[in-house]
Amino acid sequence: MSGIKTLGQFIIEKQADFPYAKGELSRLLRDIGIASKIVNREVNKAGLVDILGAAGTVNIQGEGQQKLDVFANTQFISALTSGGECCIVATEEEDDFVKIDSPVSKNAKYIVCIDPLDGSSNIDCNVAVGTIFSIYRRKSVDGEATIQDVLQKGTEQVAAGYVIYGSSTMLVYTTGKGVNGFTLDPSIGEFCMSHPDMKVPANGSIYSINEGNYVHFPEGVKKYLKYAQAEDKATSRPYTSRYIGSMVADIHRNLIKGGIYMYPTTASSPNGKLRLLYECNPMAFIIEQAGGTASDGFNRILEIEPTTLHQRTAIFIGSSSMVDVAEDLMAEYSSEMDSARAIAHPLD
Ligand SMILES: O=P(O)(O)OC[C@H]1O[C@](O)(COP(=O)(O)O)[C@@H](O)[C@@H]1O
Ligand SMILES: [Mg+2]
Ligand SMILES: [Mg+2]
């Protein structure tokens, strides 16, 4: 086992990067690691236990909740509650933010925003799914934390990460000092360092978008697809289209191979589909830390001022030169009105 570095060892080691650290963030990351292992266990044997299919309930997004959405949500909230290092959890599966009401947590320093199970439409057909998390320091010093402690810009994140439950299970995270990936070794039940200092290639030849929404895409996106599919050897075009339908899996692939993932505004999602606080901000922080770019077509995702808990945004994320081209075409062919309307009326 010599040479293997576990997630726990790495977290403690990196604590030294933060002179005033008292270990709270380390313990919080540990708690997220523990809950991920429990979710991973259920995902792995999904066909054998009663965890496939719909839960019969609908979340605030108007989406039918899958049993695994509800299971994962419960696991993360209970691990964060017993860990005692976070005072509020904002999750895709709860209408309002959850105050962690244990004596120790009330004054805890951290806020966690989480998408407990990402890629829900892929659960029942054994395609990679994930968990996405984002951590903020609360702004109010003591007493009850409030919504103002949750609605912080992505630039304020102290850590962010995702877990991908795929052919192997990986946890990838950043604390603002680069991105590192750990693979779960089921034989020892530990996340072990497998992808140190991950960097997204500046350029790639993969584009990921649900082209089924083509007719409703902004003109700038239609132009980008035309550009991506045009023949030009010098820029390795036409690019290859890859779309798994799990944001975590599509972005993870592009982080490793280079590429761009796009979920623009569409007729059914005039403000974009993906949620700013617990999908776009954490993924943007990770990709930027890996040398890439994340925008809503016009603005840096991390600079968007959140106004509501389940706010949505358009997203263009991945290899910086590919996102630059997409932004240029959005600027040329689509008005910022699209985006401004999205930010002004987040839940219309
Ligand atoms: O089916 P569509 O419209 O292409 O949407 C797929 C996208 O929606 C999501 O499933 C939304 O996330 P949840 O599954 O957490 O709700 C993303 O993972 C994925 O990229
Ligand atoms: Mg999601
Ligand atoms: Mg989800």
Side-chain angles (χ1 to χ4, degrees):
M1 279 240 295
S2 60
I4 287 181
K5 187 179 301 265
T6 68
L7 175 64
Q9 290 166 327
F10 183 80
I11 290 172
I12 299 300
E13 195 184 288
K14 290 297 167 194
Q15 204 175 292
D17 290 356
F18 303 90
Y20 308 104
K22 297 198 204 75
E24 294 118 321
L25 182 60
S26 302
R27 289 191 290 275
L28 187 53
L29 290 166
R30 170 210 59 197
D31 301 336
I32 290 172
I34 292 167
S36 308
K37 290 179 196 171
I38 296 170
V39 172
N40 176 64
R41 183 192 65 204
E42 296 307 301
V43 169
N44 283 351
K45 58 180 182 181
L48 304 173
V49 291
D50 178 25
I51 202 128
L52 291 179
T57 44
V58 175
N59 64 19
I60 188 164
Q61 335 274 343
E63 292 160 353
Q65 291 179 311
Q66 300 295 306
K67 287 180 186 160
L68 205 54
D69 285 322
V70 176
F71 176 83
N73 190 48
T74 311
Q75 290 310 320
F76 282 101
I77 292 176
S78 83
L80 292 168
T81 302
S82 49
E85 299 300 350
C86 108
C87 54
I88 278 186
V89 178
T91 154
E92 178 190 1
E93 303 306 336
E94 305 278 350
D95 297 8
D96 204 348
F97 62 84
V98 179
K99 271 202 191 115
I100 304 296
D101 222 358
S102 74
V104 273
S105 302
K106 220 189 232 57
N107 295 321
K109 226 170 34 194
Y110 294 107
I111 310 279
V112 173
C113 299
I114 192 160
D115 176 356
L117 206 285
D118 178 65
S120 308
S121 63
N122 281 325
I123 294 170
D124 291 1
C125 37
N126 210 350
V127 172
V129 292
T131 292
I132 312 173
F133 64 90
S134 166
I135 301 173
Y136 292 88
R137 197 172 283 110
R138 58 185 289 176
K139 291 196 283 189
S140 54
V141 270
D142 51 28
E144 294 272 313
T146 68
I147 187 71
Q148 294 321 318
D149 292 296
V150 182
L151 298 179
Q152 299 188 49
K153 284 202 298 191
T155 46
E156 302 307 308
Q157 291 174 96
V158 291
Y162 61 80
V163 182
I164 176 167
Y165 311 102
S167 42
S168 67
T169 293
M170 277 188 71
L171 188 151
V172 173
Y173 84 105
T174 182
T175 55
K177 295 184 184 297
V179 177
N180 292 283
F182 300 77
T183 299
L184 183 62
D185 179 340
S187 68
I188 56 173
E190 287 283 358
F191 282 106
C192 303
M193 172 71 84
S194 55
H195 296 65
D197 199 20
M198 299 175 84
K199 292 285 179 227
V200 60
N203 206 346
S205 57
I206 293 172
Y207 69 94
S208 322
I209 189 168
N210 182 345
E211 289 189 68
N213 297 326
Y214 182 86
V215 286
H216 300 301
F217 285 155
E219 199 52 33
V221 173
K222 290 179 180 173
K223 290 283 187 276
Y224 184 81
L225 291 175
K226 208 165 169 44
Y227 169 87
Q229 294 158 0
E231 186 84 36
D232 177 50
K233 290 256 165 314
T235 52
S236 35
R237 284 179 293 144
Y239 294 153
T240 294
S241 170
R242 289 279 184 278
Y243 191 70
I244 296 168
S246 296
M247 183 191 197
V248 164
D250 280 310
I251 292 181
H252 181 71
R253 181 209 44 248
N254 293 352
L255 170 56
I256 290 172
K257 295 190 168 203
I260 182 171
Y261 169 90
M262 299 169 277
Y263 207 109
T265 57
T266 63
S268 55
S269 310
N271 312 308
K273 173 180 181 176
L274 301 169
R275 283 53 59 126
L276 179 63
L277 284 182
Y278 40 78
E279 288 172 321
C280 299
N281 270 339
M283 295 313 254
F285 189 23
I286 292 162
I287 290 296
E288 284 201 6
Q289 279 290 312
T293 303
S295 117
D296 67 359
F298 305 97
N299 315 290
R300 188 180 171 218
I301 291 282
L302 297 181
E303 291 294 348
I304 296 176
E305 195 71 53
T307 50
T308 59
L309 204 51
H310 302 287
Q311 175 170 342
R312 301 170 189 258
T313 177
I315 187 163
F316 299 73
I317 183 169
S319 297
S320 46
S321 62
M322 298 176 86
V323 177
D324 292 350
V325 173
E327 280 193 312
D328 292 347
L329 291 167
M330 286 297 284
E332 194 177 342
Y333 292 97
S334 300
S335 73
E336 190 144 357
M337 276 308 296
D338 296 349
S339 174
R341 194 171 38 250
I343 293 174
H345 309 289
L347 278 186
D348 278 4

mmCIF file of all heavy atoms in Angstrom, residues 59 63 69 92-93 115-120 130 275 278-279, ligand 3:
data_model
loop_
_atom_site.group_PDB
_atom_site.id
_atom_site.type_symbol
_atom_site.label_atom_id
_atom_site.label_comp_id
_atom_site.label_asym_id
_atom_site.label_seq_id
_atom_site.Cartn_x
_atom_site.Cartn_y
_atom_site.Cartn_z
ATOM 1 N N ASN A 59 -40.226 17.539 -6.626
ATOM 2 C CA ASN A 59 -39.485 18.569 -5.886
ATOM 3 C C ASN A 59 -39.868 19.970 -6.403
ATOM 4 O O ASN A 59 -40.635 20.108 -7.346
ATOM 5 C CB ASN A 59 -37.974 18.333 -5.988
ATOM 6 C CG ASN A 59 -37.458 18.457 -7.422
ATOM 7 O OD1 ASN A 59 -38.116 19.040 -8.280
ATOM 8 N ND2 ASN A 59 -36.283 17.898 -7.665
ATOM 9 N N GLU A 63 -39.808 18.548 -10.780
ATOM 10 C CA GLU A 63 -39.324 17.265 -11.320
ATOM 11 C C GLU A 63 -39.764 16.123 -10.401
ATOM 12 O O GLU A 63 -39.706 16.250 -9.172
ATOM 13 C CB GLU A 63 -37.788 17.262 -11.381
ATOM 14 C CG GLU A 63 -37.202 18.231 -12.398
ATOM 15 C CD GLU A 63 -35.733 18.551 -12.102
ATOM 16 O OE1 GLU A 63 -35.226 18.122 -11.033
ATOM 17 O OE2 GLU A 63 -35.118 19.265 -12.904
ATOM 18 N N ASP A 69 -32.691 9.891 -5.578
ATOM 19 C CA ASP A 69 -32.578 11.327 -5.234
ATOM 20 C C ASP A 69 -32.865 11.500 -3.749
ATOM 21 O O ASP A 69 -32.132 12.167 -3.017
ATOM 22 C CB ASP A 69 -33.620 12.152 -6.013
ATOM 23 C CG ASP A 69 -33.296 12.374 -7.481
ATOM 24 O OD1 ASP A 69 -32.107 12.578 -7.781
ATOM 25 O OD2 ASP A 69 -34.239 12.348 -8.297
ATOM 26 N N GLU A 92 -31.026 20.523 -3.795
ATOM 27 C CA GLU A 92 -31.975 20.502 -4.907
ATOM 28 C C GLU A 92 -33.299 19.871 -4.497
ATOM 29 O O GLU A 92 -34.369 20.206 -5.014
ATOM 30 C CB GLU A 92 -31.393 19.710 -6.078
ATOM 31 C CG GLU A 92 -32.325 19.589 -7.267
ATOM 32 C CD GLU A 92 -31.829 18.584 -8.326
ATOM 33 O OE1 GLU A 92 -30.769 17.972 -8.128
ATOM 34 O OE2 GLU A 92 -32.543 18.413 -9.330
ATOM 35 N N GLU A 93 -33.230 18.938 -3.546
ATOM 36 C CA GLU A 93 -34.422 18.139 -3.218
ATOM 37 C C GLU A 93 -35.278 18.723 -2.102
ATOM 38 O O GLU A 93 -36.255 18.097 -1.686
ATOM 39 C CB GLU A 93 -33.992 16.705 -2.875
ATOM 40 C CG GLU A 93 -33.197 16.003 -3.971
ATOM 41 C CD GLU A 93 -33.875 15.991 -5.344
ATOM 42 O OE1 GLU A 93 -35.118 16.100 -5.393
ATOM 43 O OE2 GLU A 93 -33.158 15.958 -6.363
ATOM 44 N N ASP A 115 -26.244 19.066 -4.790
ATOM 45 C CA ASP A 115 -27.125 18.310 -5.684
ATOM 46 C C ASP A 115 -26.839 16.857 -5.331
ATOM 47 O O ASP A 115 -25.861 16.286 -5.809
ATOM 48 C CB ASP A 115 -26.775 18.612 -7.141
ATOM 49 C CG ASP A 115 -27.597 17.780 -8.135
ATOM 50 O OD1 ASP A 115 -28.386 16.920 -7.692
ATOM 51 O OD2 ASP A 115 -27.427 17.995 -9.350
ATOM 52 N N PRO A 116 -27.676 16.258 -4.462
ATOM 53 C CA PRO A 116 -27.338 14.931 -3.917
ATOM 54 C C PRO A 116 -27.166 13.863 -4.986
ATOM 55 O O PRO A 116 -26.294 13.000 -4.880
ATOM 56 C CB PRO A 116 -28.528 14.614 -3.015
ATOM 57 C CG PRO A 116 -29.222 15.909 -2.781
ATOM 58 C CD PRO A 116 -28.974 16.739 -3.989
ATOM 59 N N LEU A 117 -28.003 13.923 -6.023
ATOM 60 C CA LEU A 117 -27.898 12.942 -7.096
ATOM 61 C C LEU A 117 -28.088 13.676 -8.421
ATOM 62 O O LEU A 117 -29.176 14.144 -8.713
ATOM 63 C CB LEU A 117 -28.954 11.848 -6.930
ATOM 64 C CG LEU A 117 -28.686 10.465 -7.511
ATOM 65 C CD1 LEU A 117 -28.847 10.454 -9.034
ATOM 66 C CD2 LEU A 117 -27.360 9.883 -7.130
ATOM 67 N N ASP A 118 -27.008 13.756 -9.179
ATOM 68 C CA ASP A 118 -27.068 14.448 -10.471
ATOM 69 C C ASP A 118 -27.150 13.441 -11.610
ATOM 70 O O ASP A 118 -26.459 12.439 -11.581
ATOM 71 C CB ASP A 118 -25.817 15.315 -10.648
ATOM 72 C CG ASP A 118 -25.813 16.010 -12.000
ATOM 73 O OD1 ASP A 118 -26.702 16.850 -12.238
ATOM 74 O OD2 ASP A 118 -24.964 15.650 -12.844
ATOM 75 N N GLY A 119 -28.032 13.750 -12.575
ATOM 76 C CA GLY A 119 -28.203 12.822 -13.692
ATOM 77 C C GLY A 119 -29.328 11.835 -13.421
ATOM 78 O O GLY A 119 -29.299 10.696 -13.870
ATOM 79 N N SER A 120 -30.348 12.324 -12.692
ATOM 80 C CA SER A 120 -31.422 11.421 -12.232
ATOM 81 C C SER A 120 -32.067 10.643 -13.365
ATOM 82 O O SER A 120 -32.486 9.507 -13.181
ATOM 83 C CB SER A 120 -32.486 12.236 -11.488
ATOM 84 O OG SER A 120 -31.854 13.008 -10.503
ATOM 85 N N GLY A 130 -24.005 11.290 -10.464
ATOM 86 C CA GLY A 130 -23.047 11.934 -9.568
ATOM 87 C C GLY A 130 -23.672 12.673 -8.410
ATOM 88 O O GLY A 130 -24.894 12.624 -8.193
ATOM 89 N N ARG A 275 -28.990 24.541 -12.067
ATOM 90 C CA ARG A 275 -29.137 25.439 -10.922
ATOM 91 C C ARG A 275 -27.810 26.080 -10.565
ATOM 92 O O ARG A 275 -26.788 25.393 -10.450
ATOM 93 C CB ARG A 275 -29.705 24.670 -9.718
ATOM 94 C CG ARG A 275 -31.204 24.367 -9.742
ATOM 95 C CD ARG A 275 -31.768 23.676 -10.930
ATOM 96 N NE ARG A 275 -31.183 22.376 -11.204
ATOM 97 C CZ ARG A 275 -31.917 21.255 -11.343
ATOM 98 N NH1 ARG A 275 -33.213 21.296 -11.160
ATOM 99 N NH2 ARG A 275 -31.333 20.105 -11.659
ATOM 100 N N TYR A 278 -25.979 24.896 -6.763
ATOM 101 C CA TYR A 278 -25.446 23.569 -6.444
ATOM 102 C C TYR A 278 -25.124 22.722 -7.680
ATOM 103 O O TYR A 278 -24.849 21.542 -7.547
ATOM 104 C CB TYR A 278 -26.394 22.810 -5.498
ATOM 105 C CG TYR A 278 -27.858 22.988 -5.804
ATOM 106 C CD1 TYR A 278 -28.448 22.287 -6.837
ATOM 107 C CD2 TYR A 278 -28.633 23.873 -5.068
ATOM 108 C CE1 TYR A 278 -29.777 22.458 -7.137
ATOM 109 C CE2 TYR A 278 -29.984 24.047 -5.350
ATOM 110 C CZ TYR A 278 -30.542 23.328 -6.382
ATOM 111 O OH TYR A 278 -31.871 23.485 -6.681
ATOM 112 N N GLU A 279 -25.133 23.333 -8.838
ATOM 113 C CA GLU A 279 -24.647 22.658 -10.051
ATOM 114 C C GLU A 279 -23.594 23.540 -10.754
ATOM 115 O O GLU A 279 -22.446 23.157 -10.885
ATOM 116 C CB GLU A 279 -25.797 22.303 -10.996
ATOM 117 C CG GLU A 279 -26.671 21.157 -10.488
ATOM 118 C CD GLU A 279 -27.924 20.929 -11.304
ATOM 119 O OE1 GLU A 279 -28.561 21.919 -11.740
ATOM 120 O OE2 GLU A 279 -28.307 19.753 -11.504
HETATM 121 MG MG MG B 3 -30.103 16.109 -8.712
#
